[in-house]
Structure formats: structure tokens, C-alpha cells
Amino acid sequence: MFSWILLVFIVRIFGKKISILNILGASALIQLLVDPSLVFQLSFQLSYLAVCGIVMLMPFFEKITRTDNYWLDMFYGWMAVSISATLFTAPLTISAFGTFPTHFILANVLVSLVVFFVVLVGFILVMSAYIPVVNEW
């Protein structure tokens, strides 16, 4: 998914209007030009379906869950991302695994919080490695 984020930055550098779905499609096309067998990989299919679901359904969820409480909005946002991704990946998930996850909302919210802090700590550790005192420690 890094490739479509990179394309967003490239498009913004040139000052063009961004169409996330077009960039997502261009990203998939570039990857498939490099390795056409990716189209058969479940991870490729699930990743693009999840991002497509998030891009297409998030505006709808943002409209119906708007509150005055910042933290409640953040929680609703995490739930909306989880629901959006799951709705778009559900048919493929059921087809490939024969089951549908019923605990995805809570699990995804908890996992995304943990991953956020793990990535943040990892970034801080990598950046602090350039400080000689910290690096020696």
C-alpha cells in the first residue's frame, strides 16, 4: 500500500488535483505491470479492496457519526475504518476462508491503537539512534 501513498505525494508535488480512486488504480496497475501474478494473491486483493472500501465509505460514515466530542469522533473514525474495510473485503474473505469475522470492530480498534504506539516508539528509536549518547546506551 506504500506505492499508492507514494503516488499521492508525487501528484501533490506537481500540484494536480487528487482522485484517490484513480491513484489507487494506478498503483495497482504499476504493481501488476511489474508482477502480473500479483492479481492471484489474496493479500494483494484484500489490501486493495480494503483501501477502496475505506476511501469510498468513510465520507458516508463521517457524515452520520459527527459529534462535538473529539475522542468520540476518533473512536467512531476507527470503527468506521474497520467497518468500511470489512464490508468491502467480506465477499472475498468468505469465499477464501469460508467464514466471516464477527469480532472485527473491537479487534481492529484495539489492534490499530497498539500498532500506532508500536510504530511511534519504533520511529522514535530509529531517529534517536543518530544521537551518540542514546546510541551508545
Side-chain angles (χ1 to χ4, degrees):
M1 295 289 59
F2 178 75
S3 63
W4 80 271
I5 294 171
L6 182 63
L7 284 174
V8 168
F9 286 127
I10 290 170
V11 169
R12 283 192 177 171
I13 287 172
F14 290 110
K16 301 289 183 183
K17 186 175 178 177
I18 295 176
S19 170
I20 297 296
L21 288 177
N22 286 344
I23 290 178
L24 191 62
S27 166
L29 179 64
I30 291 168
Q31 287 188 17
L32 290 172
L33 288 173
V34 172
D35 184 6
S37 67
L38 283 176
V39 76
F40 301 109
Q41 292 187 7
L42 193 58
S43 60
F44 177 83
Q45 296 167 6
L46 287 171
S47 294
Y48 276 94
L49 279 174
V51 172
C52 190
I54 292 167
V55 168
M56 292 178 74
L57 293 179
M58 279 303 291
F60 169 74
F61 283 119
E62 287 176 348
K63 285 181 186 176
I64 64 172
T65 61
R66 190 65 68 200
T67 67
D68 291 334
N69 187 324
Y70 174 78
W71 295 108
L72 194 57
D73 272 348
M74 291 292 289
F75 181 73
Y76 284 156
W78 277 319
M79 285 189 346
V81 166
S82 176
I83 292 169
S84 299
T86 302
L87 286 176
F88 265 62
T89 58
L92 185 59
T93 302
I94 292 168
S95 171
F97 302 112
T99 186
F100 182 76
T102 56
H103 54 280
F104 66 91
I105 295 175
L106 183 59
N108 287 349
V109 169
L110 294 175
V111 167
S112 66
L113 285 172
V114 170
V115 167
F116 171 78
F117 287 111
V118 167
V119 169
L120 182 64
V121 168
F123 180 76
I124 290 170
L125 289 174
V126 167
M127 289 297 117
S128 65
Y130 295 105
I131 302 171
V133 174
V134 175
N135 192 9
E136 289 176 14
W137 180 69

